[in-house]
Amino acid sequence: MVEKRAGKQTLTEVQVETRDGPLSRLLAIDGTALDPGQRQQDDARIGRLMKDPRPLLKLKQAQDEDELKLQKLMSLMPLAFLYDYDGVEENLLRVKFRPNPGYVPPTYESRVIHSLAGTILIDSKETRLARISGQLMNQVTFGFGLLG
């Protein structure tokens, strides 16, 4: 199950991995199940992808690239942040994080990440990250403030 924001809408999808890439079926928009017309449109979209998987392959390539970026950024977390135990939430360990003032970010991406503070929920039984949420604590500027 995947829940994602697209513009002002929250989309709920079920996603499966195929040899050509991830294929998703839209289940709900803003928590409301699809009406018959929306279901028919999504079925048609899936049918087109089954006949021509090239868009699926492009999506897989983009997701693979995103996964590599995410792995690099996650590897920065032990250095870039300071952590504090914050209790338990729904059987998940809650940890607050904030920027480590002693860390000097080497890239633009790491500068943005280093400006975050928030909460991490960890499933200690599965030793997995369950949820992470953060907010920018400082303005991040690029190109002498021209970009940001």
Side-chain angles (χ1 to χ4, degrees):
M1 294 292 290
V2 176
E3 191 171 282
K4 63 184 179 183
R5 300 273 309 160
K8 294 183 179 182
Q9 296 179 318
T10 300
L11 307 177
T12 305
E13 301 173 335
V14 62
Q15 188 176 59
V16 296
E17 293 294 323
T18 71
R19 65 178 153 77
D20 295 322
L23 182 63
S24 61
R25 173 178 288 284
L26 185 60
L27 300 177
I29 300 173
D30 294 328
T32 303
L34 301 184
D35 63 37
Q38 292 168 319
R39 168 63 48 223
Q40 190 174 24
Q41 281 182 324
D42 195 52
D43 287 346
R45 178 189 61 84
I46 291 171
R48 288 190 302 274
L49 289 172
M50 300 291 279
K51 290 178 184 170
D52 181 12
R54 285 181 291 190
L56 212 52
L57 291 168
K58 282 185 180 179
L59 179 62
K60 180 176 176 34
Q61 182 180 11
Q63 284 187 335
D64 288 348
E65 290 170 5
D66 287 347
E67 186 68 29
L68 286 174
K69 285 181 185 178
L70 180 61
Q71 286 175 2
K72 285 180 186 177
L73 294 175
M74 293 295 285
S75 70
L76 297 175
M77 289 187 73
L79 303 170
F81 299 108
L82 299 175
Y83 301 90
D84 297 304
Y85 173 77
D86 193 39
V88 176
E89 182 178 317
E90 301 172 6
N91 295 325
L92 299 172
L93 176 66
R94 188 175 55 239
V95 177
K96 287 187 176 183
F97 67 94
R98 64 188 186 286
N100 178 355
Y103 176 73
V104 179
T107 65
Y108 289 127
E109 289 172 330
S110 61
R111 284 174 58 193
V112 173
I113 295 299
H114 184 245
S115 295
L116 293 173
T119 304
I120 299 171
L121 296 178
I122 301 167
D123 183 336
S124 55
K125 287 183 184 176
E126 298 290 327
T127 60
R128 294 182 59 101
L129 179 69
R131 188 177 320 146
I132 186 168
S133 63
Q135 294 179 312
L136 284 175
M137 300 308 294
N138 305 308
Q139 183 175 352
V140 180
T141 57
F142 304 100
F144 305 104
L146 298 173
L147 305 170

